[in-house]
Structures are given as C-alpha cells and as structure tokens.
Amino acid sequence: QVQLVESGGGSVQAGGSLRLSCAVSGDPHNIQSWGWLRLAPGKQLEGVAALDSYGTPIYAGSGSGRFTISKDNTKNTLYLQMNSLELEDTALYYCAASVWMGEVWVGLLSPDFGYRGQGTQVTVLS
C-alpha cells in the first residue's frame, strides 16, 4: 500500500507560479510510475506530468514547457513546479502512483492500477 498526500495548492494570479508537493508513505517498491493529474470543472481527468520507471519526465500537452515534475527520494516527495500559470490551469490536482508496467498514462489515469491522493486545489485568478 502507498499513501499520497498533496499540498501546496492555492490561489495565484495568472502568470504566477506554484509548487505542489506530494508526500509518499507506505511501500512504494512496486510503483512503476509517478505523476500529477488534474480535474478541471466540466472536464475529464487528465494527465499533467509523469515520471516513468526510469525516472524520465513525461509531459502532457497541458503542462509541457511550463511545468516541471521531480522526485526527491531522500524526502519521499514528488513535486510539480508550475510556472506561467493560466486561467485554464484552474483544477483539482492529484498526485498518482501506478503499478502498471504498460503505457504510463494508462496506469496513472486508471484507479485500478495504483494510488491517488485526495487532491489539492489550484485556482488561477485573472
């Protein structure tokens, strides 16, 4: 079992930055990938950024170029640095971990293949 607890969300002006953190506890030795997902009002859950089993970052279109995912194994914490935030980035952001050995987003987006935190709200203001 793995437990994930997000923090760092809040309200920020458009163009600003936030850093989300995800504290990891439990036994992560079966985890193949880590990532951040988001759920915006009226939209489906989507991937934002991920680390594959080699630790290589993968970015979905929404986060590419503006967001940076990283993991500090000494602190058991996953991060998402978000810069140049836009109104469209307003969403509930989830930390996710997957045991799926196939395609990264399939594993992270499916609740059957891993774990997900409770989410942290990010609101971008105009």
Side-chain angles (χ1 to χ4, degrees):
Q1 289 287 331
V2 172
Q3 293 79 41
L4 305 171
V5 179
E6 303 95 337
S7 62
S11 297
V12 62
Q13 294 289 327
S17 299
L18 278 176
R19 188 177 80 158
L20 306 183
S21 299
C22 174
V24 179
S25 60
D27 183 6
H29 78 279
N30 283 335
I31 300 301
Q32 299 297 312
S33 60
W34 303 87
W36 290 93
L37 316 174
R38 70 184 185 186
L39 182 62
K43 295 187 177 180
Q44 290 186 327
L45 186 68
E46 65 174 355
V48 176
L51 295 173
D52 67 10
S53 59
Y54 298 99
T56 302
I58 301 169
Y59 296 97
S62 57
S64 181
R66 299 185 296 123
F67 296 172
T68 302
I69 187 172
S70 62
K71 190 172 184 289
D72 187 336
N73 291 324
T74 65
K75 297 181 179 179
N76 293 324
T77 303
L78 183 72
Y79 299 100
L80 182 68
Q81 177 67 43
M82 304 187 294
N83 298 327
S84 302
L85 282 163
E86 303 171 351
L87 298 179
E88 293 73 23
D89 295 318
T90 294
L92 187 61
Y93 284 72
Y94 296 96
C95 174
S98 170
V99 300
W100 180 246
M101 294 185 179
E103 203 276 326
V104 168
W105 292 121
V106 170
L108 290 172
L109 287 168
S110 172
D112 296 329
F113 295 140
Y115 309 92
R116 195 177 296 169
Q118 293 300 306
T120 185
Q121 178 68 37
V122 171
T123 302
V124 182
L125 307 171
S126 60

